[in-house]
Amino acid sequence: MTETPYTFDLNDPDCIPSRYDNHIRRTLTSMRGQYQDTAAYDAMLAKEDTLLYEVYELQRPHVAGEVLHGISIVHPGKVGDEYFMTKGHFHTVLETAEVYHCLKGEGCMVMETPEGEWAVAELRPGVVLYVLPRWAHRSVNTGAGDLVTLFAYPGHAGHDYGTIEQKGFRKLVVERGGGAVVVDNPRWSGGQ
Ligand code: F6R
Ligand code: ZN
């Protein structure tokens, strides 16, 4: 970890950063139970443990004064009619926000609070999204190419994946008639 200010480039055509410390690859197996069409999920997994998304992280100390940052790349595709997406999470320290800048692709951020509010923000190149404190967030790729975002969030935020793994998000983004639509998650279990 360097102790002097640094820059990095986002190289064409993939926007992979010219420097990073950690490369996370999430495949279908890490999304078990998250896609509503379990038959489509099982059939896809039987063929291959498909790569769904990747994160390139620049490592900084996990303390409040730091800003953790990196690049998230969600690949195009669907499981059944549900688009490839990230696991999604709340920050462990709920009162921490996050900024996303969409660099490439088409998609959206699905968000919700523990209190039941929800929002879906469109992501396309040039869009900057401010995810307020308390809002869980999941990137969804509704396009034909990679969805690439730059993200930045407080160093002490932490990640709570368990809540979403157990309850899911209230809303899903699925393809209907050739386009992306937001629908209720029939298996959302937060009310039980
Ligand atoms: C960090 C953050 C992003 C995501 C990345 C992958 O707080 O929101 O860097 O970590 O888009 O998504 P998850 O972490 O949900 O697998
Ligand atoms: Zn986050």
Side-chain angles (χ1 to χ4, degrees), residues 23-27 30-31 50-55 72-75 84-88 161:
H23 179 202
I24 299 163
R25 302 171 85 255
R26 296 263 188 246
T27 60
S30 64
M31 293 294 280
T50 309
L51 179 64
L52 303 179
Y53 65 98
E54 303 176 62
V55 182
S72 167
I73 303 175
V74 185
H75 297 301
F84 284 3
M85 60 192 182
T86 59
K87 286 165 85 79
Y161 289 103

Side-chain angles (χ1 to χ4, degrees), residues 10-189:
L10 300 175
N11 294 315
D12 288 336
D14 300 328
C15 291
I16 294 171
S18 57
R19 60 180 290 167
Y20 57 87
D21 301 303
N22 199 18
H23 179 202
I24 299 163
R25 302 171 85 255
R26 296 263 188 246
T27 60
L28 266 182
T29 46
S30 64
M31 293 294 280
R32 184 171 294 285
Q34 293 303 303
Y35 284 100
Q36 59 168 342
D37 187 340
T38 51
Y41 175 90
D42 291 341
M44 191 178 262
L45 188 56
K47 281 190 197 148
E48 189 186 357
D49 190 11
T50 309
L51 179 64
L52 303 179
Y53 65 98
E54 303 176 62
V55 182
Y56 293 88
E57 293 179 330
L58 288 101
Q59 210 51 257
R60 297 299 309 161
H62 292 192
V63 299
E66 295 276 355
V67 177
L68 303 183
H69 55 285
I71 297 293
S72 167
I73 303 175
V74 185
H75 297 301
K78 285 177 293 170
V79 176
D81 61 5
E82 204 174 351
Y83 295 99
F84 284 3
M85 60 192 182
T86 59
K87 286 165 85 79
H89 56 266
F90 287 93
H91 289 167
T92 311
V93 179
L94 262 183
E95 303 298 336
T96 54
E98 182 153 352
V99 174
Y100 279 86
H101 180 199
C102 182
L103 303 167
K104 203 175 158 187
E106 277 172 56
C108 58
M109 190 72 76
V110 176
M111 296 168 280
E112 69 180 51
T113 66
E115 290 76 30
E117 296 162 281
W118 64 273
V120 177
E122 184 194 359
L123 295 175
R124 55 183 156 69
V127 167
V128 177
L129 167 65
Y130 185 65
V131 180
L132 268 74
R134 304 186 70 77
W135 288 74
H137 40 284
R138 160 181 282 166
S139 311
V140 181
N141 184 347
T142 61
D146 285 344
L147 174 68
V148 184
T149 51
L150 178 143
F151 59 82
Y153 62 102
H156 67 306
H159 294 106
D160 163 18
Y161 289 103
T163 303
I164 296 298
E165 280 169 4
Q166 286 163 24
K167 297 182 176 179
F169 276 83
R170 287 170 169 78
K171 299 291 173 182
L172 305 177
V173 184
V174 298
E175 186 186 62
R176 293 273 192 277
V181 296
V182 178
V183 297
D184 287 336
N185 178 357
R187 292 166 53 220
W188 183 70
S189 63

